[in-house]
Every structure is written in structure tokens, then in C-alpha cells.
Amino acid sequence: MNNACFAYAALVASSLLFAGCGTSPDPFEVRRAEMIAKTGNCIWNTDGCDMLYYPTNAPITEESFVSRRLAKSHGTKITAISYCPLSSGFGLFTARKAGDFMDRVFESGKSRNAARDFAEKLDTDALEMACRFARKEGKNVFVSIRMNDTHDSSHSKKRPSPLFSPFKERHPECLVGEMEGPNRRGVMTWSSVDYSHPEVREALKGYIRQFCENYDIDGVELDFNRHAMFFRSTFRGGVASEAEIAIMTQLMREIRALTERLGRIRGKPFLLLARTDDSIAHDRAVGYDPTQWMAEGLIDYWIAGGYTRIDDYDEVVAVARRYPKVKLFASMDESRVDGSCGSSKKPYIHGRWFWTDLGDCAVPFYAACISAAMSAGFDGIWHFNIEESPMPRVVSIDPADTECVDKRYYATERDPRDLNWHLKDGLRFLKTPDIDPTHPRKMAAAEIYSFSMIVGDDFAAAAKRGKVPTCGIRLLATGSDKVTVRMNDELLKLGAKDGDILKFPVRQDCVRRGRNRFEIKADAGLMLHDFVLDIVYSDGRVNGEKGEDR
């Protein structure tokens, strides 16, 4: 056992000793419980590019920086902030006191990296300002470290990327791929660091130590979903070995030992949060096992989910409840169907893309996801990549009370083929429905596609508030409108057609709180593009239906 493991084991043993002897509880653990309670049920990850893409014409003042993004959380249901001090690289941060300082000067359109200006003119950085804002708001604040963000993968000798970190420049041998040649494959993968190298693991622990020692943070969030490539073995098309999984488990032990030691020094813990995909089978193929971390008490929060929801919410809860001391949060990631289908001119029902303007579509989309997760048994919600105009409305949804809020339950929220980016044939792990407008499902005559979806609405609770919902299914199909639809074994009758969108009214008593089963039968050959269950409490249509659907 190395020194880090021994130190952590000693901390755990001492806590158990106090508990077993009937003495007073360890004040350190009491403080941990208080911090977790204060964190609440809605964490917002800021996404990390507010300093990197600071408006060129904006003044260099703390007020201006805060107003760009952080201030939009004021008065919402956000209970804690996880600040990401850069949206790319490894060890390259817009925080001066950890890793390499991202003060490289570059412009992108009407924005620029203003990190150097804030350091020189105000003697501060993005994370320091975020911490001060969170304290003023009375919220806990975490630093979010992306374990392998590869937005720098465009880097080349001819066109260097400003996001390519000095660590990667110093250690090209620690990357899973190569800058040039046959090993530069994949959309955003070759520039990932390979965690089999001790230099990578030691560097990460050094960054965490610096953040904990130099910033007023309540904990550290490790984002394994930006991006899920950690070993050369998976980059080359394989799956992670047991030895590689063990490397990541050992790393988490050492990180926990480090943060616990530093927490004892300052007198209160550094909470540890980990975000991974929600499928343990997929995570192990990539190279890590969150169940082992939870079993050993290495994390305080498991944030489950990412680009694609692989397992359904109730299945994730069943896994997490074996570890009751760990809080389970659902990752809420934006839909990108509009962007994908809009560029390829494929039909779809989903609302507009997040960074243009989701309009009124944002609230019912997110409300459905939040309601399903919370009703399944999640402890809270973790918002990611939600910004610009929809952000205040979306984060004003109360995770503990989504009743009487209009909802759109999409069968598929985002192209699940993102799973193939970081793992060969990653789509094989998908258990949630695959009705993706980006890749329409071809159905032959008499073919049946069956799937299930979780609905979180409690109609009895809504009735007590005097609300009676209108429910319906919208199905987008081309090539034929000869479709038979069943919900929970009940045959639905076609109510209306709007171009290629078929509308099926659904009786309230046909909708179950929890898992609902659906069956689509093609009575003639067709292409199935999109599917949504609407639950409406307002004026008989889902918010934004007119003018927002395509």
C-alpha cells in the first residue's frame, strides 16, 4: 500500500473507530454532511468559456465578467456552482494559481481571451471572481476539472491551437495518438492524454492540490465526460483492460487521500464529485468503474450522464442506491438535434439548438428530463452547457417540484451515435430508445419497434392544484402515414395530421408515473424520424409548439 492509500485508510479507520465507540461524531464528517446539505439539489456547471471568449468591447471589470454568465444564476433554483476555468486542454486554466495559466492572446469573432487583461489590470482571475460571486450568493462553489477535454484536436504544426496545453507540448509521448500520421484518427480523440503514464496522473494530482490550496472552493468536480478517452488501447479500437481500470481506481484513491488531507488541514472537507456516463458497462469499457469508487467512499457525488443517456434513469438509480452515502445527480445535457438536422435538412420535431435560441421549447424539454430523473429517485440535477437566453428559464425549474409544468418527453434527446466517438461500436451499450432524427429508423412493412420511457408527472398531485393535463403523442414519419401506435398495450387512434407529423391523443389514465411502454408498427414501409409525448397543463398545446417545431 502506498503512502496516499495508507493515509486515506487511516482517515476512514479513525472515523469508524469514533462511530463504533459511541463517542461524539467526527466534527470533520459533521462538516461534510453540512456542506452536502448546503449544496442542495441543483448544481450548475458553467462550461468554462466565459473568460476564454470574453466580448472584445466589454470592459475589464469584475462586474462585467460576472454579468456575462454567472449573474444569470441569481434568483433561480441553482443551489451550487461548479466553475470550469477552461473548456479545453489538460492543465491549461484561466486560473492563475493552478497548472499553466491560459493567458494566450487570441481572438474569435467578436470575442477574445481576456485572462491576461484581468490578471494585469485587476490582479484576479476567472475562478477567483466565480468564488467571490458564489460566496456573495450564499452558494457552495466547486472547481470543475475536465479529465481529458479535446477541443484542441485541430492542433497541427501548421495551425497550432491556442488550446493545446504546454503539458501536451512537453509530453507528446503521453497522448493516445499523434499530431500527424495514421494515429491521428477520430473526431476529437487523438489529443487525449493517456492515463497509463505516471506523468499524467501526477500532473492531475498537482493541479487538484493547487486548486485546493489557492482558491476558496468547497470541492473538486472531475468531469470524465469531457472527453471519455483515457487509454491508447481504446483509441486503437479496443476496450480497457482490468489493469487499466485498476489504474484509474488507484488514481481516485490517491486523489481522495489528497483532498482529505488538505481538508483536515483547513478544517473542513473538500467534497469530491465525479461525472461519468450513466452505464457502468460502458464506463468499464472506457477505463473506469464508478461503482468501485462509491464502494470505497472515494466520491461524495456521482453525476451520471453525458452526451447520450445510455441507461434509463431507474436503472441508474438501482445501481447508485447500493451506495447510500453517495449523492446521485442526473446530468442535464442540451439537445443538438436542431443543429444536426438543420444542417442536413432532415425533418424533426425537436426545438431549436441551445446556443441559437431554444425559445419556449427549452422549458418543456428540460422539465420532462428533470421530472423523469427526480421521480426515478435521483437526489438532484446537474446542469451543463446551458447558457445564453434559455439559461435563466431552464434553471428556474425546481427539481423538487415539476408538477403542472408543460413537458416534452422525447424518445431520444440527442444523437446516441456520439457513443462511437470515444469507443469503437459504443452504441452497443445503448439501452434507451433510438429514434434519432439525425439517423431516421427505416422500418419495413409489418415491422414493430418497441421501447419504453419514464414519465415523472404525478397527475393526482396536479389535480390537487386544479390542473388537468392534455396528453398526446406526436410521431414524425415519412414515406407512409400507415402507422399503428400502442401505449401501455392500449391502441391509440390517430387524431390529426400536420404534414408528416401524426398526432395521437392520449387519455390521462393511459399515462403511468414511471416506466411506460410504447409500440410502433409500420403498416407500410416508412422512415421513423421523431417521437414525443406531450403533457400540457397550459392552453392545450406545449409551449412554443407554433413556430418552433420544424
PDB file of all heavy atoms in Angstrom, residues 446-476:
ATOM      1  N   ALA A 446     -44.973  -4.085 -41.628  1.00  0.00           N
ATOM      2  CA  ALA A 446     -45.262  -5.028 -40.541  1.00  0.00           C
ATOM      3  C   ALA A 446     -44.175  -5.065 -39.472  1.00  0.00           C
ATOM      4  O   ALA A 446     -44.308  -5.807 -38.488  1.00  0.00           O
ATOM      5  CB  ALA A 446     -45.519  -6.434 -41.077  1.00  0.00           C
ATOM      6  N   GLU A 447     -43.123  -4.267 -39.624  1.00  0.00           N
ATOM      7  CA  GLU A 447     -42.070  -4.233 -38.593  1.00  0.00           C
ATOM      8  C   GLU A 447     -42.570  -3.494 -37.365  1.00  0.00           C
ATOM      9  O   GLU A 447     -43.302  -2.500 -37.458  1.00  0.00           O
ATOM     10  CB  GLU A 447     -40.818  -3.556 -39.137  1.00  0.00           C
ATOM     11  CG  GLU A 447     -39.664  -3.505 -38.141  1.00  0.00           C
ATOM     12  CD  GLU A 447     -38.410  -2.857 -38.713  1.00  0.00           C
ATOM     13  OE1 GLU A 447     -38.335  -2.693 -39.958  1.00  0.00           O
ATOM     14  OE2 GLU A 447     -37.515  -2.500 -37.920  1.00  0.00           O
ATOM     15  N   ILE A 448     -42.153  -3.953 -36.180  1.00  0.00           N
ATOM     16  CA  ILE A 448     -42.555  -3.349 -34.911  1.00  0.00           C
ATOM     17  C   ILE A 448     -41.306  -2.882 -34.163  1.00  0.00           C
ATOM     18  O   ILE A 448     -40.311  -3.619 -34.068  1.00  0.00           O
ATOM     19  CB  ILE A 448     -43.344  -4.348 -34.039  1.00  0.00           C
ATOM     20  CG1 ILE A 448     -44.671  -4.727 -34.716  1.00  0.00           C
ATOM     21  CG2 ILE A 448     -43.610  -3.771 -32.649  1.00  0.00           C
ATOM     22  CD1 ILE A 448     -45.445  -5.799 -33.982  1.00  0.00           C
ATOM     23  N   TYR A 449     -41.367  -1.658 -33.657  1.00  0.00           N
ATOM     24  CA  TYR A 449     -40.299  -1.154 -32.792  1.00  0.00           C
ATOM     25  C   TYR A 449     -40.911  -0.873 -31.421  1.00  0.00           C
ATOM     26  O   TYR A 449     -41.840  -0.076 -31.289  1.00  0.00           O
ATOM     27  CB  TYR A 449     -39.670   0.121 -33.356  1.00  0.00           C
ATOM     28  CG  TYR A 449     -38.563   0.671 -32.471  1.00  0.00           C
ATOM     29  CD1 TYR A 449     -37.450  -0.098 -32.175  1.00  0.00           C
ATOM     30  CD2 TYR A 449     -38.651   1.946 -31.929  1.00  0.00           C
ATOM     31  CE1 TYR A 449     -36.442   0.386 -31.361  1.00  0.00           C
ATOM     32  CE2 TYR A 449     -37.642   2.446 -31.121  1.00  0.00           C
ATOM     33  CZ  TYR A 449     -36.529   1.658 -30.835  1.00  0.00           C
ATOM     34  OH  TYR A 449     -35.539   2.140 -30.026  1.00  0.00           O
ATOM     35  N   SER A 450     -40.390  -1.539 -30.399  1.00  0.00           N
ATOM     36  CA  SER A 450     -40.889  -1.388 -29.028  1.00  0.00           C
ATOM     37  C   SER A 450     -39.831  -0.718 -28.164  1.00  0.00           C
ATOM     38  O   SER A 450     -38.630  -1.001 -28.301  1.00  0.00           O
ATOM     39  CB  SER A 450     -41.254  -2.754 -28.437  1.00  0.00           C
ATOM     40  OG  SER A 450     -42.254  -3.391 -29.202  1.00  0.00           O
ATOM     41  N   PHE A 451     -40.273   0.121 -27.259  1.00  0.00           N
ATOM     42  CA  PHE A 451     -39.351   0.810 -26.356  1.00  0.00           C
ATOM     43  C   PHE A 451     -40.134   1.314 -25.149  1.00  0.00           C
ATOM     44  O   PHE A 451     -41.359   1.210 -25.094  1.00  0.00           O
ATOM     45  CB  PHE A 451     -38.654   1.970 -27.065  1.00  0.00           C
ATOM     46  CG  PHE A 451     -39.591   3.024 -27.593  1.00  0.00           C
ATOM     47  CD1 PHE A 451     -39.854   4.179 -26.867  1.00  0.00           C
ATOM     48  CD2 PHE A 451     -40.218   2.874 -28.821  1.00  0.00           C
ATOM     49  CE1 PHE A 451     -40.718   5.155 -27.343  1.00  0.00           C
ATOM     50  CE2 PHE A 451     -41.080   3.840 -29.319  1.00  0.00           C
ATOM     51  CZ  PHE A 451     -41.331   4.978 -28.577  1.00  0.00           C
ATOM     52  N   SER A 452     -39.423   1.855 -24.187  1.00  0.00           N
ATOM     53  CA  SER A 452     -40.088   2.398 -23.003  1.00  0.00           C
ATOM     54  C   SER A 452     -39.470   3.735 -22.637  1.00  0.00           C
ATOM     55  O   SER A 452     -38.333   4.041 -23.000  1.00  0.00           O
ATOM     56  CB  SER A 452     -39.993   1.429 -21.823  1.00  0.00           C
ATOM     57  OG  SER A 452     -38.644   1.218 -21.447  1.00  0.00           O
ATOM     58  N   MET A 453     -40.248   4.546 -21.930  1.00  0.00           N
ATOM     59  CA  MET A 453     -39.811   5.854 -21.469  1.00  0.00           C
ATOM     60  C   MET A 453     -40.336   6.080 -20.060  1.00  0.00           C
ATOM     61  O   MET A 453     -41.420   5.599 -19.708  1.00  0.00           O
ATOM     62  CB  MET A 453     -40.336   6.968 -22.389  1.00  0.00           C
ATOM     63  CG  MET A 453     -39.794   6.943 -23.806  1.00  0.00           C
ATOM     64  SD  MET A 453     -40.764   7.980 -24.939  1.00  0.00           S
ATOM     65  CE  MET A 453     -40.748   9.566 -24.096  1.00  0.00           C
ATOM     66  N   ILE A 454     -39.585   6.819 -19.261  1.00  0.00           N
ATOM     67  CA  ILE A 454     -40.019   7.147 -17.907  1.00  0.00           C
ATOM     68  C   ILE A 454     -40.709   8.500 -17.908  1.00  0.00           C
ATOM     69  O   ILE A 454     -40.187   9.484 -18.443  1.00  0.00           O
ATOM     70  CB  ILE A 454     -38.832   7.151 -16.924  1.00  0.00           C
ATOM     71  CG1 ILE A 454     -38.305   5.721 -16.761  1.00  0.00           C
ATOM     72  CG2 ILE A 454     -39.230   7.716 -15.577  1.00  0.00           C
ATOM     73  CD1 ILE A 454     -37.110   5.615 -15.861  1.00  0.00           C
ATOM     74  N   VAL A 455     -41.889   8.540 -17.311  1.00  0.00           N
ATOM     75  CA  VAL A 455     -42.657   9.779 -17.153  1.00  0.00           C
ATOM     76  C   VAL A 455     -42.695  10.118 -15.661  1.00  0.00           C
ATOM     77  O   VAL A 455     -42.984   9.257 -14.827  1.00  0.00           O
ATOM     78  CB  VAL A 455     -44.090   9.614 -17.706  1.00  0.00           C
ATOM     79  CG1 VAL A 455     -44.944  10.839 -17.374  1.00  0.00           C
ATOM     80  CG2 VAL A 455     -44.035   9.391 -19.213  1.00  0.00           C
ATOM     81  N   GLY A 456     -42.404  11.368 -15.342  1.00  0.00           N
ATOM     82  CA  GLY A 456     -42.339  11.752 -13.936  1.00  0.00           C
ATOM     83  C   GLY A 456     -43.580  12.434 -13.400  1.00  0.00           C
ATOM     84  O   GLY A 456     -43.694  12.665 -12.194  1.00  0.00           O
ATOM     85  N   ASP A 457     -44.540  12.766 -14.262  1.00  0.00           N
ATOM     86  CA  ASP A 457     -45.711  13.530 -13.830  1.00  0.00           C
ATOM     87  C   ASP A 457     -46.587  12.744 -12.866  1.00  0.00           C
ATOM     88  O   ASP A 457     -46.844  11.557 -13.057  1.00  0.00           O
ATOM     89  CB  ASP A 457     -46.536  13.943 -15.043  1.00  0.00           C
ATOM     90  CG  ASP A 457     -45.857  15.028 -15.841  1.00  0.00           C
ATOM     91  OD1 ASP A 457     -44.867  14.707 -16.530  1.00  0.00           O
ATOM     92  OD2 ASP A 457     -46.291  16.185 -15.764  1.00  0.00           O
ATOM     93  N   ASP A 458     -47.042  13.441 -11.848  1.00  0.00           N
ATOM     94  CA  ASP A 458     -47.979  12.886 -10.875  1.00  0.00           C
ATOM     95  C   ASP A 458     -49.312  13.606 -11.083  1.00  0.00           C
ATOM     96  O   ASP A 458     -49.523  14.716 -10.595  1.00  0.00           O
ATOM     97  CB  ASP A 458     -47.450  13.110  -9.459  1.00  0.00           C
ATOM     98  CG  ASP A 458     -48.329  12.484  -8.380  1.00  0.00           C
ATOM     99  OD1 ASP A 458     -49.472  12.088  -8.699  1.00  0.00           O
ATOM    100  OD2 ASP A 458     -47.879  12.411  -7.229  1.00  0.00           O
ATOM    101  N   PHE A 459     -50.219  12.987 -11.817  1.00  0.00           N
ATOM    102  CA  PHE A 459     -51.481  13.642 -12.160  1.00  0.00           C
ATOM    103  C   PHE A 459     -52.360  13.861 -10.938  1.00  0.00           C
ATOM    104  O   PHE A 459     -53.149  14.811 -10.907  1.00  0.00           O
ATOM    105  CB  PHE A 459     -52.230  12.828 -13.213  1.00  0.00           C
ATOM    106  CG  PHE A 459     -51.537  12.800 -14.551  1.00  0.00           C
ATOM    107  CD1 PHE A 459     -51.738  11.747 -15.435  1.00  0.00           C
ATOM    108  CD2 PHE A 459     -50.689  13.821 -14.944  1.00  0.00           C
ATOM    109  CE1 PHE A 459     -51.118  11.713 -16.677  1.00  0.00           C
ATOM    110  CE2 PHE A 459     -50.044  13.806 -16.172  1.00  0.00           C
ATOM    111  CZ  PHE A 459     -50.261  12.745 -17.040  1.00  0.00           C
ATOM    112  N   ALA A 460     -52.231  13.018  -9.938  1.00  0.00           N
ATOM    113  CA  ALA A 460     -53.016  13.203  -8.712  1.00  0.00           C
ATOM    114  C   ALA A 460     -52.589  14.488  -8.000  1.00  0.00           C
ATOM    115  O   ALA A 460     -53.426  15.250  -7.508  1.00  0.00           O
ATOM    116  CB  ALA A 460     -52.855  11.995  -7.787  1.00  0.00           C
ATOM    117  N   ALA A 461     -51.270  14.720  -7.967  1.00  0.00           N
ATOM    118  CA  ALA A 461     -50.773  15.951  -7.350  1.00  0.00           C
ATOM    119  C   ALA A 461     -51.202  17.166  -8.154  1.00  0.00           C
ATOM    120  O   ALA A 461     -51.543  18.217  -7.582  1.00  0.00           O
ATOM    121  CB  ALA A 461     -49.247  15.900  -7.244  1.00  0.00           C
ATOM    122  N   ALA A 462     -51.218  17.039  -9.482  1.00  0.00           N
ATOM    123  CA  ALA A 462     -51.658  18.148 -10.326  1.00  0.00           C
ATOM    124  C   ALA A 462     -53.134  18.453 -10.095  1.00  0.00           C
ATOM    125  O   ALA A 462     -53.548  19.617 -10.071  1.00  0.00           O
ATOM    126  CB  ALA A 462     -51.403  17.819 -11.784  1.00  0.00           C
ATOM    127  N   ALA A 463     -53.933  17.397  -9.921  1.00  0.00           N
ATOM    128  CA  ALA A 463     -55.371  17.579  -9.705  1.00  0.00           C
ATOM    129  C   ALA A 463     -55.638  18.368  -8.429  1.00  0.00           C
ATOM    130  O   ALA A 463     -56.581  19.171  -8.364  1.00  0.00           O
ATOM    131  CB  ALA A 463     -56.059  16.225  -9.652  1.00  0.00           C
ATOM    132  N   LYS A 464     -54.818  18.159  -7.408  1.00  0.00           N
ATOM    133  CA  LYS A 464     -54.985  18.899  -6.157  1.00  0.00           C
ATOM    134  C   LYS A 464     -54.730  20.392  -6.351  1.00  0.00           C
ATOM    135  O   LYS A 464     -55.179  21.208  -5.549  1.00  0.00           O
ATOM    136  CB  LYS A 464     -54.044  18.343  -5.097  1.00  0.00           C
ATOM    137  CG  LYS A 464     -54.407  16.924  -4.637  1.00  0.00           C
ATOM    138  CD  LYS A 464     -53.426  16.414  -3.590  1.00  0.00           C
ATOM    139  CE  LYS A 464     -53.794  15.007  -3.138  1.00  0.00           C
ATOM    140  NZ  LYS A 464     -52.838  14.469  -2.144  1.00  0.00           N
ATOM    141  N   ARG A 465     -54.017  20.727  -7.407  1.00  0.00           N
ATOM    142  CA  ARG A 465     -53.762  22.133  -7.722  1.00  0.00           C
ATOM    143  C   ARG A 465     -54.747  22.654  -8.765  1.00  0.00           C
ATOM    144  O   ARG A 465     -54.598  23.762  -9.274  1.00  0.00           O
ATOM    145  CB  ARG A 465     -52.337  22.315  -8.238  1.00  0.00           C
ATOM    146  CG  ARG A 465     -51.263  21.848  -7.268  1.00  0.00           C
ATOM    147  CD  ARG A 465     -49.878  22.138  -7.818  1.00  0.00           C
ATOM    148  NE  ARG A 465     -48.832  21.587  -6.983  1.00  0.00           N
ATOM    149  CZ  ARG A 465     -47.530  21.751  -7.183  1.00  0.00           C
ATOM    150  NH1 ARG A 465     -47.120  22.483  -8.220  1.00  0.00           N
ATOM    151  NH2 ARG A 465     -46.633  21.215  -6.394  1.00  0.00           N
ATOM    152  N   GLY A 466     -55.720  21.808  -9.093  1.00  0.00           N
ATOM    153  CA  GLY A 466     -56.742  22.217 -10.053  1.00  0.00           C
ATOM    154  C   GLY A 466     -56.305  22.142 -11.493  1.00  0.00           C
ATOM    155  O   GLY A 466     -56.905  22.798 -12.359  1.00  0.00           O
ATOM    156  N   LYS A 467     -55.296  21.335 -11.769  1.00  0.00           N
ATOM    157  CA  LYS A 467     -54.767  21.225 -13.125  1.00  0.00           C
ATOM    158  C   LYS A 467     -55.076  19.842 -13.700  1.00  0.00           C
ATOM    159  O   LYS A 467     -54.808  18.824 -13.063  1.00  0.00           O
ATOM    160  CB  LYS A 467     -53.256  21.451 -13.136  1.00  0.00           C
ATOM    161  CG  LYS A 467     -52.835  22.870 -12.768  1.00  0.00           C
ATOM    162  CD  LYS A 467     -53.136  23.840 -13.910  1.00  0.00           C
ATOM    163  CE  LYS A 467     -52.580  25.221 -13.618  1.00  0.00           C
ATOM    164  NZ  LYS A 467     -52.802  26.155 -14.737  1.00  0.00           N
ATOM    165  N   VAL A 468     -55.614  19.815 -14.890  1.00  0.00           N
ATOM    166  CA  VAL A 468     -55.881  18.574 -15.611  1.00  0.00           C
ATOM    167  C   VAL A 468     -55.099  18.627 -16.922  1.00  0.00           C
ATOM    168  O   VAL A 468     -55.328  19.512 -17.752  1.00  0.00           O
ATOM    169  CB  VAL A 468     -57.382  18.393 -15.889  1.00  0.00           C
ATOM    170  CG1 VAL A 468     -57.608  17.097 -16.680  1.00  0.00           C
ATOM    171  CG2 VAL A 468     -58.176  18.373 -14.586  1.00  0.00           C
ATOM    172  N   PRO A 469     -54.182  17.702 -17.140  1.00  0.00           N
ATOM    173  CA  PRO A 469     -53.325  17.781 -18.326  1.00  0.00           C
ATOM    174  C   PRO A 469     -54.009  17.278 -19.589  1.00  0.00           C
ATOM    175  O   PRO A 469     -54.937  16.472 -19.546  1.00  0.00           O
ATOM    176  CB  PRO A 469     -52.159  16.858 -17.957  1.00  0.00           C
ATOM    177  CG  PRO A 469     -52.790  15.826 -17.076  1.00  0.00           C
ATOM    178  CD  PRO A 469     -53.829  16.560 -16.269  1.00  0.00           C
ATOM    179  N   THR A 470     -53.523  17.776 -20.697  1.00  0.00           N
ATOM    180  CA  THR A 470     -53.848  17.230 -22.005  1.00  0.00           C
ATOM    181  C   THR A 470     -52.622  16.474 -22.485  1.00  0.00           C
ATOM    182  O   THR A 470     -51.516  17.017 -22.481  1.00  0.00           O
ATOM    183  CB  THR A 470     -54.195  18.344 -23.005  1.00  0.00           C
ATOM    184  OG1 THR A 470     -55.325  19.067 -22.533  1.00  0.00           O
ATOM    185  CG2 THR A 470     -54.494  17.760 -24.377  1.00  0.00           C
ATOM    186  N   CYS A 471     -52.806  15.218 -22.885  1.00  0.00           N
ATOM    187  CA  CYS A 471     -51.678  14.372 -23.274  1.00  0.00           C
ATOM    188  C   CYS A 471     -51.808  13.955 -24.731  1.00  0.00           C
ATOM    189  O   CYS A 471     -52.917  13.766 -25.239  1.00  0.00           O
ATOM    190  CB  CYS A 471     -51.603  13.124 -22.390  1.00  0.00           C
ATOM    191  SG  CYS A 471     -51.624  13.461 -20.612  1.00  0.00           S
ATOM    192  N   GLY A 472     -50.689  13.796 -25.383  1.00  0.00           N
ATOM    193  CA  GLY A 472     -50.717  13.351 -26.762  1.00  0.00           C
ATOM    194  C   GLY A 472     -49.341  12.953 -27.246  1.00  0.00           C
ATOM    195  O   GLY A 472     -48.326  13.343 -26.662  1.00  0.00           O
ATOM    196  N   ILE A 473     -49.318  12.174 -28.292  1.00  0.00           N
ATOM    197  CA  ILE A 473     -48.075  11.744 -28.920  1.00  0.00           C
ATOM    198  C   ILE A 473     -47.980  12.372 -30.299  1.00  0.00           C
ATOM    199  O   ILE A 473     -48.963  12.408 -31.045  1.00  0.00           O
ATOM    200  CB  ILE A 473     -48.019  10.205 -29.033  1.00  0.00           C
ATOM    201  CG1 ILE A 473     -47.764   9.592 -27.654  1.00  0.00           C
ATOM    202  CG2 ILE A 473     -46.942   9.756 -30.021  1.00  0.00           C
ATOM    203  CD1 ILE A 473     -47.881   8.094 -27.612  1.00  0.00           C
ATOM    204  N   ARG A 474     -46.812  12.879 -30.629  1.00  0.00           N
ATOM    205  CA  ARG A 474     -46.531  13.335 -31.990  1.00  0.00           C
ATOM    206  C   ARG A 474     -45.436  12.444 -32.561  1.00  0.00           C
ATOM    207  O   ARG A 474     -44.396  12.239 -31.927  1.00  0.00           O
ATOM    208  CB  ARG A 474     -46.100  14.797 -31.999  1.00  0.00           C
ATOM    209  CG  ARG A 474     -47.246  15.773 -31.772  1.00  0.00           C
ATOM    210  CD  ARG A 474     -46.768  17.207 -31.775  1.00  0.00           C
ATOM    211  NE  ARG A 474     -45.966  17.511 -30.599  1.00  0.00           N
ATOM    212  CZ  ARG A 474     -45.093  18.525 -30.515  1.00  0.00           C
ATOM    213  NH1 ARG A 474     -44.904  19.296 -31.574  1.00  0.00           N
ATOM    214  NH2 ARG A 474     -44.423  18.751 -29.412  1.00  0.00           N
ATOM    215  N   LEU A 475     -45.698  11.920 -33.732  1.00  0.00           N
ATOM    216  CA  LEU A 475     -44.778  10.996 -34.387  1.00  0.00           C
ATOM    217  C   LEU A 475     -44.499  11.526 -35.788  1.00  0.00           C
ATOM    218  O   LEU A 475     -45.427  11.837 -36.535  1.00  0.00           O
ATOM    219  CB  LEU A 475     -45.407   9.600 -34.430  1.00  0.00           C
ATOM    220  CG  LEU A 475     -44.609   8.432 -35.012  1.00  0.00           C
ATOM    221  CD1 LEU A 475     -45.067   7.129 -34.359  1.00  0.00           C
ATOM    222  CD2 LEU A 475     -44.814   8.335 -36.527  1.00  0.00           C
ATOM    223  N   LEU A 476     -43.235  11.647 -36.119  1.00  0.00           N
ATOM    224  CA  LEU A 476     -42.848  12.152 -37.436  1.00  0.00           C
ATOM    225  C   LEU A 476     -42.366  10.990 -38.291  1.00  0.00           C
ATOM    226  O   LEU A 476     -41.377  10.316 -37.969  1.00  0.00           O
ATOM    227  CB  LEU A 476     -41.744  13.198 -37.295  1.00  0.00           C
ATOM    228  CG  LEU A 476     -41.123  13.752 -38.585  1.00  0.00           C
ATOM    229  CD1 LEU A 476     -42.182  14.344 -39.498  1.00  0.00           C
ATOM    230  CD2 LEU A 476     -40.056  14.789 -38.262  1.00  0.00           C
TER     231      LEU A 476
END
